Every structure is written in C-alpha cells, then in structure tokens.
Amino acid sequence: MIDRETVDRIYAAANIVEVVSDFVTLRRKGVNYMACCPFHNERTPSFVVSPTKGLFKCFGCGKGGNAVTFVMEHEKMTYVDALKYVAKKYGIEVREKEMSPEEVRRNDDRESMMVVNGWADDYFRRMLFDTDEGVSVGMSYFRERGFTDATIRKFGLGFCPAKGDAMTVAALNAGYKEQFLVDTGLTIKRETGDYYDRFCGRVIFPIHSISGRVIAFGGRILKKNDRAAKYLNSPESIVYSKSQSLYGIYFAKNAISRENNCILVEGYTDVIQMHQSGVENVVASSGTSLTTEQIRLIARFTKNVTVIYDGDAAGIKASLRGIDMILREGLNVRVVLLPEPEDPDSFARTHSAAELKAYIQENQKDFIGFKTRLLMKDAMDDPIKKAQLISDIVQSIAEIPDPISRSVFIRECADTMDMDRKVLANEVSRKRLSVQYDRQTSEFVRNQQRIRSREETGILPPTGPGEFTAGSNIDELEKEITGYLMKYGHLYFEYKEGEHMSRFNVAETIFNELNRDGIRFRNPVYRTMMECYEKQYEALGEGVEVPIHNFTNHSDPQVCNVAVDILTADSNYTTSEIWRRFDVSVENERDRLDEVVPRTVTLYKSKTIETIIVELNDRLKEENLSEEESTDIIEKIAALNEIRKRISRNMSRLIL
C-alpha cells in the first residue's frame, strides 16, 4: 500500500489537463477544456476538464473524477497502479507499506506482466542489433522491406533467436518468474516441462498501448513452413485485449488529431512504411476483424476515417461489414482503392509523403457510394442479386446516426441504382426501427440483470417487483441528501417551531433524523460517503467544513465519480426532479436549506418506511409462516405505521 503522505504528494503534483492530454485531445473553452468523451461514443463534446478544480466530468455518460481515477478508468488500472503511473509522470518516488499476501497477488500480477513485456521488448531489440543471427536474418528482412535503422528503432522492431528456448532461459536467468512468462504468452510450457519461445525464429513487432507501454508482440516467420502461421500474436491476457488495441496508435495519435483524419490499413508493415514515408496518421487492425472498441479508440482523436484497400475485390467485400460498424459509431468513412497489384506497404515505399497524400485526396470516395458501385458490378441485370444489393445498402445507410447524412446517401444511392427514393427511405426507416428495438430490448435485459445483482444492505429488505429499485425515488433521495452533506453540512439554518426560531446544523439534522428511526442508506456508494463524512464530522466538530478532497480523492472511484457529479452540477440551482414531482419550487438551494433539507430527509424516511411495510406484508402471505413469526411481523408493521403517521404529519407541516 502507498502511504498517505505519498498519495497526497501525487495528487498535489498532478495537473489534470496534462494527464488527460496524454490520452485525449483537449481544446480550451474559456477556463475549462473540452473533448469528445473517451468513455462513450458521442458526436458533440460533453467531456469537460477543469484545471482549477482538478476534475473531469462527462455530462453525457456521467463519468467524472480526478487525474488518478481518469487513468484508472482509461487504462483499466488498479488504484495503486494509477497512482504509480501519475507519480512516475511527475518524478515522485513511491513509498509503500507492506501489503498482505492477498493484496500483493491482486495488485502485482498485471504490473509484473507489463515488466516482463518490457524486458522482452529490450531483449528482442538487442537480439536484432547485437547478434550475428539477428543482423543476418532479422535485419536483412527489415532492410529488404525498405525500413531504415531510424524506423526500426522508432517502432522497437526486434528478433527472437531460432534456438527453441533461448529467450525463456535468458528471462529466467534474469530473475523473471515462469508464471508471468507463460501468462504473457512469451513462453509456452510443454507437458514434458520443457519451454518453447512462442516467437522462436521470428522478427518481432511490439504492440503498444495508447500510453506507449508494450502490451503484446506480433511475430512474422521468416522460413517457409506450411505448418506454422505466417504471423503470430501474443494471446489474450489481463494486459492485452486484441479487440481493444490498434497497431501504431501510440505513434499515430498526435498526427490523427492534427490531420483530423485516421487512415486505416491492415498490417504492421503497412503502418510502418507509411510512417517512414511521412504519413503518420495511420493505424492497423492487425489483420483481425474491426471491433467497436477499436473504432471508439479512433473516435477519441477524430471522426473521420479513410480506409485504404488494395485491388483484391474478394478481400474488400469480406471487410465491408466492418465498415458498417464505423458508420454505426457516427464516424465519417471514405475509401481509397490502390491500383493493382499495390498494397499500402509497396505503394508507400515508392511514393513520397506529398504523392501519397495527393493520391488519397484525389481518389477517396464516400463508403456508401463506393459500396453501391462495387456491388452493382455483380448485380448487373439479375433481379435477385439486385434485391440483395439493395438490402446490403439499406443496412449500411441505416447504421448512420445522423439523419441529414442518411438523407443525402438515400438520394444518391437511389439515383445510382435507378430506384424510387421513397421506397429506399422507407426500407431504411424500417431497418432502423428494427435495430433500435433490438438494442433497447438488450439494454432492458441488462438493466434488469444489474438491478437483481445490486447489493442489498442496511435495514431495507430485498425489493420485490414494482417496488423501489436503483434509480427510483429512494436512490435519488439518497444522492440528494449526500449532496447536502458535501456542500452544506457545515452550515446552519433557522427553523420556526411554534413561536420560537431554532438554529440547526445541516449535518447534525441529517444524522439525528436518520439515526432516530435506525435508517441507513441502501446504496453502498452513498452509504460510504455518509460514513466518510460522519467520521470527519466527529473529528473536526460541528460547523467545520469537511474538505471536499476526502471525496474527490477517495480510493473508491465510484465515490469520486458521485462527488464530481454533485460538485459539477449547475451552480444556478434548478429544482430537482424530486421536488418537481411534489410541485415544490426551490429558487436557490443554499438560501432555502431550512426547507429543502427537512423536506428531503422526511420524504426519504417516508419512502423507506413504506417499502419496509410492503415487504413485511408480503411475508405475511407466506404459507409456512409460524404463528409466532406472524405475530412478530404484525407488531413490526404496527410500529412502522405509527412512525409513518408521524412522518406524514411532519411532511404535511413541511409542505404547508
């Protein structure tokens, strides 16, 4: 575990704009910075970074936090690993106290695998440059491809010796554990107990994360072997997911942002050759089918994609469905067809950057038009093939989320295919409705699964069908009360009781009212925040403001997210959804604490008691209930009804 003093130093040093800018292209807007959110797909920027508050917040998907939680969420790191990442960026030495064996295993496996990958990356490069085998075999191959030494070093290209276990033996001798060599896929352990290097006798292409760390490797075989794959990648692991990685993204991200366009090619050498020629806004899916995660990775830097194809018609048709996925994510897609028999590697090798860019500019076509003309060649006058073509085109147009773009493509495709625009438009609409229904159904099922799996704690029993669940009044009220604590817990308000005016502290009022009836928050995040505040409140004393960083820098990222959500709400207070339902007008939250705090707490208690009574009544209907159990439940319901009457009287008085 990292000691608190070091954690505080890390947070003090972290510049959130600098940290976020390592992964997302930010544009200044007033005192803040904005971008399209890296955590969900959007066309209009709603992701805001506040340098003065040290926070980020997406007003689209709701994610928010500080520099450390951003790294956690973006790079899928643990809290400790994210702290170390930020500390390293600012040159802060991390001092750790001894962790339990369980904590060590949980937190260190991922980092250990990254360290092993880093060692292997260095080993492969040394084998390429510093050994006779590497120079004569590996370097010869790279130079035949036209790569310069500068390019080879830039991309960290390497070579794995042909001796079956040379790399593994070197790693074990260097002190690296067999477990992590096997887990990363660098080493294959046979049933006999012998080792075999996965990339034995291959040239190596390191695969980098968006932050530049080596997460995997690709290896190309050099000797002809019909039983071995030409290219071989590291297997999936906790540090590498093929579907979420793009080859070359680390080297291309700045150029993609600068050019506002991403060129998508197929293989490692295509990327490297185009970079060497001077066109750097290029990445590859590494021969795999394009995934939604890869498309969203591109969308962090640009909404424009240019796909380069060679002249292989069969290959183009096989990849058309992947382009539909790009359209679905709201990106603009253009296609460039290279002259036969060229591919991006060979074409870039014989053309300068200016010539490459000029060719792309002059030959790029919108994807829908390109697909229509490509398939029309096959359809000719065959009505069956033409009907299938129309279905394919409808599918592609239906994926486009922007209605104006859809309308333009419907008009152009109808003219190209010589068919009625209205018929094509109706088919597109029908397809979109069908797709939206399927997605909404899937989302409903996922939501129901999430609701069923929510933690049920405190005095609340499990909720039954139709009762209050996550996101309903009880959940909203808990968030509202948590917000009052965070923002105004140290303040006082005056309240008239009879002829007398009494002065109440906000935090004391909330704690006393909830404790009076033994009520605890059911939402685990709000409950954690309540307990955190109460602990600080007791230590500091009544009327002393609890520092906000206790929540925004909390080790639980969900706590941090909720805290940021509360703090980044519109400062010009608008009536919450809760109070709109009860026709209660609140002009300014802070000036009306005497109304909103008692009302919210009382309403929350009322909803909680009602839920418990419903559950107890349901239990009375159980067939195997004993007389003693029935009597006990009836007594509890009677007691709760008395509490409810008292709360109802208070509620009526407060509303009036």
Side-chain angles (χ1 to χ4, degrees), residues 506-614:
V506 171
E508 192 73 20
T509 299
I510 291 171
F511 293 140
N512 285 345
E513 282 297 313
L514 297 182
N515 291 336
R516 177 184 182 183
D517 294 309
I519 294 176
R520 293 175 69 233
F521 281 179
R522 70 186 294 241
N523 184 303
V525 177
Y526 303 142
R527 186 168 63 251
T528 297
M529 297 178 77
M530 169 76 81
E531 291 168 354
C532 176
Y533 190 99
E534 191 167 15
K535 183 178 179 181
Q536 289 291 312
Y537 171 83
E538 291 173 354
L540 296 171
E542 183 180 309
V544 180
E545 186 172 4
V546 173
I548 291 300
H549 67 70
N550 283 293
F551 305 97
T552 59
N553 294 349
H554 198 277
S555 59
D556 185 342
Q558 289 182 292
V559 170
C560 176
N561 188 41
V562 170
V564 171
D565 192 27
I566 290 169
L567 294 173
T568 54
D570 189 354
S571 57
N572 298 317
Y573 180 73
T574 55
T575 306
S576 76
E577 180 64 28
I578 295 165
W579 295 118
R580 279 197 292 272
R581 294 176 197 163
F582 288 87
D583 296 323
V584 178
S585 174
V586 183
E587 297 166 5
N588 183 287
E589 190 177 51
R590 182 167 180 150
D591 294 340
R592 306 293 292 275
L593 292 175
D594 60 324
E595 294 181 40
V596 297
V597 172
R599 281 174 178 164
T600 306
V601 174
T602 303
L603 180 59
Y604 171 67
K605 289 167 63 176
S606 174
K607 293 293 181 185
T608 301
I609 297 299
E610 286 173 12
T611 303
I612 299 172
I613 291 173
V614 168

Side-chain angles (χ1 to χ4, degrees), residues 92-107:
I92 297 172
E93 180 186 356
V94 175
R95 297 194 298 270
E96 297 186 70
K97 65 180 181 182
E98 187 175 351
M99 293 186 290
S100 69
E102 292 76 19
E103 290 172 324
V104 171
R105 283 193 295 272
R106 186 173 59 250
N107 295 330

Side-chain angles (χ1 to χ4, degrees), residues 160-426:
C160 184
K163 184 182 177 183
D165 61 354
M167 185 225 66
T168 302
V169 170
L172 293 172
N173 289 339
Y176 294 96
K177 292 182 179 180
E178 172 196 296
Q179 173 194 344
F180 302 117
L181 290 165
V182 172
D183 287 349
T184 56
L186 287 163
T187 297
I188 298 171
K189 188 174 182 180
R190 293 169 166 159
E191 292 182 1
T192 59
D194 295 333
Y195 301 116
Y196 185 77
D197 298 340
R198 178 178 296 272
F199 299 108
C200 173
R202 294 175 183 260
V203 288
I204 303 297
F205 299 84
I207 300 170
H208 298 81
S209 71
I210 197 170
S211 60
R213 301 188 78 180
V214 176
I215 55 176
F217 300 93
R220 187 194 191 280
I221 198 167
L222 299 180
K223 295 180 180 179
K224 184 175 177 58
N225 186 342
D226 295 335
R227 293 182 299 173
K230 183 177 179 181
Y231 279 96
L232 192 63
N233 277 1
S234 297
E236 297 270 322
S237 70
I238 61 173
V239 299
Y240 174 57
S241 172
K242 187 182 297 185
S243 66
Q244 298 179 26
S245 306
L246 283 168
Y247 182 74
I249 188 67
Y250 170 66
F251 302 101
K253 60 183 181 180
N254 291 334
I256 292 171
S257 178
R258 185 173 61 251
E259 300 287 338
N260 193 24
N261 184 55
C262 177
I263 297 173
L264 187 61
V265 294
E266 185 177 359
Y268 303 135
T269 58
D270 296 330
V271 171
I272 297 170
Q273 198 66 253
M274 291 190 73
H275 272 259
Q276 183 169 285
S277 296
V279 178
E280 297 185 337
N281 57 321
V282 56
V283 298
S285 58
S286 303
T288 62
S289 299
L290 202 60
T291 66
T292 301
E293 292 85 354
Q294 290 171 333
I295 297 166
R296 290 176 180 174
L297 188 57
I298 293 171
R300 297 179 191 178
F301 303 99
T302 183
K303 294 296 181 182
N304 302 304
V305 177
T306 300
V307 182
I308 298 185
Y309 288 118
D310 57 31
D312 178 14
I316 296 171
K317 290 175 184 175
S319 64
L320 292 180
R321 196 62 66 188
I323 309 299
D324 283 351
M325 294 172 63
I326 302 179
L327 294 172
R328 186 185 309 151
E329 294 302 316
L331 277 64
N332 307 309
V333 188
R334 291 189 175 274
V335 176
V336 173
L337 193 61
L338 296 176
E340 291 190 66
E342 301 277 16
D343 59 27
D345 180 359
S346 62
F347 195 74
R349 200 183 312 179
T350 55
H351 293 77
S352 67
E355 290 170 336
L356 267 172
K357 291 177 181 177
Y359 184 88
I360 292 171
Q361 186 65 35
E362 293 166 8
N363 292 275
Q364 61 184 358
K365 298 177 176 63
D366 73 82
F367 171 67
I368 299 294
F370 172 81
K371 181 177 180 178
T372 303
R373 285 185 286 273
L374 177 71
L375 298 181
M376 281 288 284
K377 291 179 182 178
D378 289 342
M380 299 299 286
D381 296 325
D382 187 328
I384 296 176
K385 286 186 176 180
K386 191 168 183 178
Q388 187 177 3
L389 157 66
I390 293 170
S391 178
D392 281 347
I393 298 302
V394 164
Q395 177 67 45
S396 293
I397 298 176
E399 298 290 2
I400 301 172
D402 180 56
I404 296 175
S405 298
R406 282 202 309 274
S407 177
V408 170
F409 285 122
I410 287 170
R411 184 175 65 249
E412 291 183 358
C413 290
D415 292 345
T416 302
M417 294 184 292
D418 191 25
M419 67 177 295
D420 189 285
R421 293 180 186 175
K422 191 173 291 185
V423 172
L424 189 60
N426 288 340

